[in-house]
């Protein structure tokens, strides 16, 4: 399918990619018809989804089956009055009904708003009102049903509630019954233009309240690079991205680009997550490609990998947070696999990436994706030189690239703040070396200013991670009268070092950092904790540590 959208589909080098990567944009592109149904017609028996759960159930869906189910779902949704432009929230965890529903909504030209199951009444009310949500399709679990039911009286636009089961509650329509009795689906006469909104995702909320990001119907095409040239997928691949469907990362790794590439998406629908489960899945299902955030790899390398047959695994990718070189090195030693890092946001597709034709530099995010016009800007707006820190920006003066969001929904002020004068500001600081590789420094908000130095948390965290006592850590600034800010390390100790938490270990760790990196960066304050504050999706929230220490949020 990739060849339908690209003028050239394989590349030998970054130069080749830069000059010859070109997306052909069809008119009124619709992922449901132009990808899912197209596969169903061309290769109906090709496996699209390999789904399993922690009760040992396993179902494979071919593209023909996905077409059939998504048509039924679309027809059922029509019978509920859902149509073009309607906003529908999906709280479906990793149920396969997520895939049926999001594609069905695309086929109707409606707007899908995937959300995490950890939302409570107040979060649902907020989202329902902020986005005029018309319907909620959710997993039938008592907690979720209760929160949605409780949200209803305060959510005036909410008209329809659907549960996919197994539990039902008063006021909820039964999804399974609905699709069973659905009349044959008739494609609406007109579904969408390329500029219509198809998807709304909330950002992870790492730096503050999650923001509502909206994407157009072309957004899936932006993910051709994500799947074909970062995950390195081909039609025989079985790919697992670790992400809940409530986060943007889910469509990065569990849907759009993967199916354009013709790969099979692997889904493990689980309640509680243990790193060893992933290893068991790779072993049992012969997964070929894995994408996960660094936090997962930090825990994976502490498992006994020799207990699993991981020989099927060919390719591993990471994004979402910076990858510490120590984790890269250990994973390579244990598995022979080089972790290929990528960088992007809910607002974008993959923007910086270690492509298959490049050699990874451990600790670097990789090279600019030529699909975007990427630059690094100094605070005064002029371009940073090689080796100099700047904010990662995307220039949009010539065009809005495929994959870049439309706006923060109904928040023109915030949109203008991040995106003005033809430049979208990511809020992330990095520097570029002479080979064009980008090196992450930190979020602009997380960079520490101490005695005239600007200290990026990532570099100090990476230095700390090379000490065997440190499993995870966060570097933050603490207000200080003399220095402005001083560097603080909040550390989770490994099991073997927990008894040694105390001044002696603090000095040992401080000396270690002074040796590994420039001494002025060492943490003057060290705190040991059992766990770091994280977002629901598992990202470290440095902002919370800062606030606790009396600093700016
Ligand atoms: P919020 O915007 O609500 O604070 P968030 O920025 O974490 O949350 P996402 O859109 O899920 O929400 O994450 C994008 C951010 O994740 C990037 O802006 C960057 O800070 C971080 N990130 C992603 N990939 C990498 C990477 N490879 N290295 C370092 N940071 C990364
Ligand atoms: Mg963000």
């Amino acid at each position: 399918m990739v060849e339908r959208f690209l003028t050239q589909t394989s590349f030998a080098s970054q130069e080749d990619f830069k000059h010859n990567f070109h997306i052909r944009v069809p008119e009124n592109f619709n992922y449901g018809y132009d990808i899912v149904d197209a596969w169903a017609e061309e290769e109906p028996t090709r496996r699209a989804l390999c789904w399993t759960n922690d009760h040992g159930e396993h179902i494979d869906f071919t593209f023909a089956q996905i077409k059939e189910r998504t048509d039924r779902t679309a027809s059922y949704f029509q019978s509920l009055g859902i149509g073009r432009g309607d906003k529908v929230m999906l709280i479906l965890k990793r149920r396969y009904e997520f895939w049926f529903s999001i594609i069905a909504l695309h086929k109707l030209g409606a707007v899908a708003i995937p959300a995490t199951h950890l939302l409570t009444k107040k979060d649902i009310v907020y989202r329902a009102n902020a986005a005029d949500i018309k319907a909620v399709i959710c997993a039938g679990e008592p907690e979720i049903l209760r929160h949605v039911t409780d949200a209803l009286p305060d959510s005036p636009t909410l008209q329809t509630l659907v549960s996919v089961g197994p539990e039902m509650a008063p006021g909820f329509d039964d999804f399974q019954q609905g699709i069973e009795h659905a009349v044959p689906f008739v494609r609406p006469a007109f579904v969408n233009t390329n500029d219509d909104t198809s998807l709304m995702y909330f950002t992870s909320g790492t730096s503050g309240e999650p923001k509502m990001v909206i994407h157009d119907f072309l957004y899936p095409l932006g993910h051709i690079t994500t799947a074909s040239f970062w995950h390195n997928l081909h039609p025989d691949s079985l790919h697992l991205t670790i992400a809940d469907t409530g986060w943007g990362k889910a469509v990065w790794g569990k849907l759009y680009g993967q199916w354009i590439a013709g790969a099979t998406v692997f889904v493990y629908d689980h309640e509680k997550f243990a790193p060893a489960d992933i290893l068991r899945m790779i072993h049992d299902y012969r997964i070929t490609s894995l994408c996960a955030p660094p936090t997962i790899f930090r825990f994976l390398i502490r498992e006994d990998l020799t207990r699993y047959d991981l020989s099927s695994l060919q390719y591993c990718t990471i994004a979402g947070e910076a990858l510490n070189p120590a984790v890269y090195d250990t994973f390579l030693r244990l598995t022979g696999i080089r972790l290929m890092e990528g960088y992007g946001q809910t607002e974008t597709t993959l923007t910086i990436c270690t492509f298959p034709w490049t050699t990874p530099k451990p600790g670097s995010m990789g090279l600019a994706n030529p699909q975007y016009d990427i630059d690094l800007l100094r605070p005064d707006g002029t371009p940073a030189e090689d080796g100099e820190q700047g904010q990662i920006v995307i220039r949009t003066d010539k065009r809005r690239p495929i994959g870049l969001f439309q706006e923060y929904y109904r928040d023109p002020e915030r949109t203008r703040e991040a995106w003005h004068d033809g430049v979208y500001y990511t809020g992330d600081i990095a520097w570029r070396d002479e080979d064009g590789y980008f090196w992450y420094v930190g979020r602009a908000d997380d960079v520490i200013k101490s005695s005239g130095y600007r200290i990026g948390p990532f570099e100090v965290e990476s230095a700390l991670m090379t000490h065997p006592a440190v499993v995870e850590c966060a570097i933050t600034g603490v207000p200080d009268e003399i220095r402005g800010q001083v560097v603080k390390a909040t550390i989770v100790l490994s099991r073997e070092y927990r008894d040694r938490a105390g001044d002696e270990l603090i000095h040992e760790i401080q000396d270690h950092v002074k040796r590994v990196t420039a001494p002025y960066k060492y943490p003057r304050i060290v705190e040991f904790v059992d766990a770091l504050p994280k977002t629901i999706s598992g990202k470290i929230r440095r902002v919370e540590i800062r606030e606790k220490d009396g600093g700016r949020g």
Side-chain angles (χ1 to χ4, degrees):
M1 202 65 63
V2 176
E3 58 285 354
R4 277 205 195 160
F5 301 99
L6 298 188
T7 41
Q8 180 177 325
T9 56
S10 71
F11 304 92
S13 66
Q14 189 68 9
E15 275 307 294
D16 188 10
F17 191 57
K18 214 157 125 184
H19 292 115
N20 299 314
F21 176 82
H22 179 70
I23 301 177
R24 278 194 216 107
V25 179
E27 254 181 62
N28 304 341
F29 174 73
N30 184 297
Y31 188 82
Y33 302 111
D34 298 331
I35 304 297
V36 174
D37 289 4
W39 271 122
E41 196 171 321
E42 259 174 46
E43 283 191 54
T45 57
R46 169 170 290 287
R47 186 168 66 152
L49 199 64
C50 172
W51 181 94
T52 180
N53 66 8
D54 46 6
H55 306 297
E57 292 172 77
H58 166 209
I59 310 179
D60 282 332
F61 294 95
T62 63
F63 276 104
Q65 287 167 323
I66 296 282
K67 171 179 163 42
E68 197 260 341
R69 300 297 165 94
T70 55
D71 277 355
R72 275 178 182 278
T73 307
S75 163
Y76 167 50
F77 285 173
Q78 275 177 324
S79 75
L80 297 172
I82 296 168
R84 186 166 179 236
D86 287 335
K87 316 238 178 37
V88 180
M89 189 182 220
L90 306 175
I91 312 178
L92 287 168
K93 303 175 83 174
R94 291 162 170 93
R95 304 293 194 79
Y96 44 74
E97 288 89 353
F98 172 77
W99 284 262
F100 301 171
S101 300
I102 190 169
I103 302 298
L105 293 173
H106 289 344
K107 287 184 171 179
L108 295 173
V111 182
I113 311 179
T116 160
H117 61 284
L118 295 168
L119 299 185
T120 58
K121 173 200 162 181
K122 143 177 111 23
D123 306 314
I124 298 170
V125 168
Y126 169 72
R127 284 161 167 75
N129 283 286
D132 289 347
I133 289 174
K134 186 170 181 181
V136 174
I137 321 292
C138 66
E141 293 178 13
E143 279 275 281
I144 300 175
L145 295 174
R146 187 164 54 79
H147 287 311
V148 175
T149 305
D150 291 350
L152 193 57
D154 298 328
S155 311
T157 59
L158 204 50
Q159 293 170 11
T160 306
L161 308 180
V162 176
S163 166
V164 302
E167 304 273 331
M168 286 291 146
F172 281 79
D173 211 65
D174 184 334
F175 183 94
Q176 308 303 345
Q177 293 273 334
I179 63 167
E180 197 176 315
H181 298 120
V183 298
F185 175 58
V186 182
R187 179 177 174 161
F190 181 76
V191 181
N192 64 282
T193 68
N194 286 342
D195 294 328
D196 288 342
T197 299
S198 71
L199 185 69
M200 183 187 295
Y201 254 115
F202 286 79
T203 60
S204 298
T206 312
S207 53
E209 278 296 304
K211 297 168 284 241
M212 289 191 288
V213 170
I214 56 171
H215 284 290
D216 60 22
F217 273 84
L218 287 183
Y219 178 67
L221 294 180
H223 278 304
I224 290 177
T225 310
T226 314
S228 291
F229 307 116
W230 177 45
H231 293 154
N232 201 18
L233 300 180
H234 44 81
D236 298 328
S237 305
L238 179 57
H239 176 77
L240 168 60
T241 279
I242 312 277
D244 182 82
T245 60
W247 304 114
K249 192 73 191 308
V251 292
W252 276 53
K254 296 170 111 70
L255 181 60
Y256 289 145
Q258 291 68 32
W259 282 357
I260 298 176
T264 305
V265 170
F266 182 85
V267 179
Y268 177 46
D269 184 13
H270 55 78
E271 285 311 317
K272 280 245 170 310
F273 173 79
D277 290 342
I278 301 179
L279 300 169
R280 197 162 46 78
M281 293 297 138
I282 297 169
H283 175 114
D284 289 351
Y285 287 89
R286 312 290 300 155
I287 289 167
T288 64
S289 167
L290 170 69
C291 181
T295 173
I296 298 278
F297 287 103
R298 285 199 284 268
F299 287 100
L300 276 189
I301 56 177
R302 292 180 179 265
E303 296 288 320
D304 179 4
L305 299 185
T306 59
R307 293 177 46 212
Y308 306 89
D309 174 6
L310 304 179
S311 59
S312 61
L313 196 61
Q314 296 161 0
Y315 216 78
C316 288
T317 38
I318 83 108
E321 285 188 290
L323 172 68
N324 315 99
V327 178
Y328 176 97
D329 290 337
T330 311
F331 193 76
L332 178 60
R333 182 166 48 75
L334 294 174
T335 64
I337 295 175
R338 302 175 305 172
L339 291 173
M340 306 297 260
E341 184 164 342
Y343 161 91
Q345 303 184 307
T346 309
E347 290 88 337
T348 67
T349 59
L350 185 72
T351 40
I352 295 175
C353 161
T354 313
F355 291 98
W357 47 81
T358 52
T359 308
K361 294 194 187 186
S364 159
M365 302 187 282
L367 302 166
N369 175 357
Q371 193 178 317
Y372 292 91
D373 186 356
I374 293 171
D375 207 348
L376 284 179
L377 295 188
R378 301 178 179 127
D380 68 2
T382 54
E385 305 268 324
D386 285 351
E388 190 187 356
Q389 291 184 10
Q391 182 162 170
I392 305 172
V393 303
I394 299 170
R395 293 190 183 280
T396 57
D397 44 346
K398 292 192 202 83
R399 62 188 168 96
R400 179 168 69 90
I402 295 172
L404 186 60
F405 72 136
Q406 296 177 293
E407 60 180 28
Y408 295 119
Y409 188 60
R410 289 185 178 164
D411 200 342
E413 212 167 290
R414 195 164 235 169
T415 306
R416 215 172 310 115
E417 206 180 299
W419 193 354
H420 52 86
D421 304 310
V423 179
Y424 166 66
Y425 292 80
T426 62
D428 289 307
I429 308 292
W431 59 278
R432 196 180 37 218
D433 68 18
E434 65 283 4
D435 300 323
Y437 285 67
F438 285 76
W439 299 78
Y440 188 72
V441 173
R443 288 168 192 262
D445 296 345
D446 288 342
V447 172
I448 299 158
K449 292 174 201 85
S450 181
S451 304
Y453 292 112
R454 286 167 60 81
I455 302 169
F458 174 59
E459 189 189 351
V460 188
E461 287 163 7
S462 292
L464 279 165
M465 290 295 293
T466 60
H467 191 284
V470 181
V471 176
E472 284 200 300
C473 59
I475 288 290
T476 50
V478 176
D480 181 86
E481 277 192 11
I482 298 162
R483 297 188 165 82
Q485 283 183 303
V486 291
V487 177
K488 173 186 173 183
T490 306
I491 297 175
V492 178
L493 288 175
S494 66
R495 231 173 280 133
E496 310 83 63
Y497 278 83
R498 266 177 221 157
D499 303 340
R500 286 193 48 201
D503 284 350
E504 198 189 318
L505 184 59
I506 290 178
H507 286 138
E508 184 183 319
I509 290 175
Q510 287 173 325
D511 286 344
H512 177 79
V513 175
K514 284 186 203 167
R515 264 198 314 276
V516 180
T517 181
Y520 70 87
K521 295 176 185 168
Y522 88 93
R524 286 170 193 272
I525 306 173
V526 175
E527 185 183 356
F528 297 123
V529 294
D530 292 336
L532 296 173
K534 289 190 178 167
T535 62
I536 303 170
S537 56
K539 297 192 192 200
I540 298 169
R541 293 199 78 226
R542 294 174 189 79
V543 59
E544 239 174 82
I545 302 174
R546 273 204 305 272
E547 280 171 356
K548 198 174 88 233
D549 292 334
R552 73 197 145 85

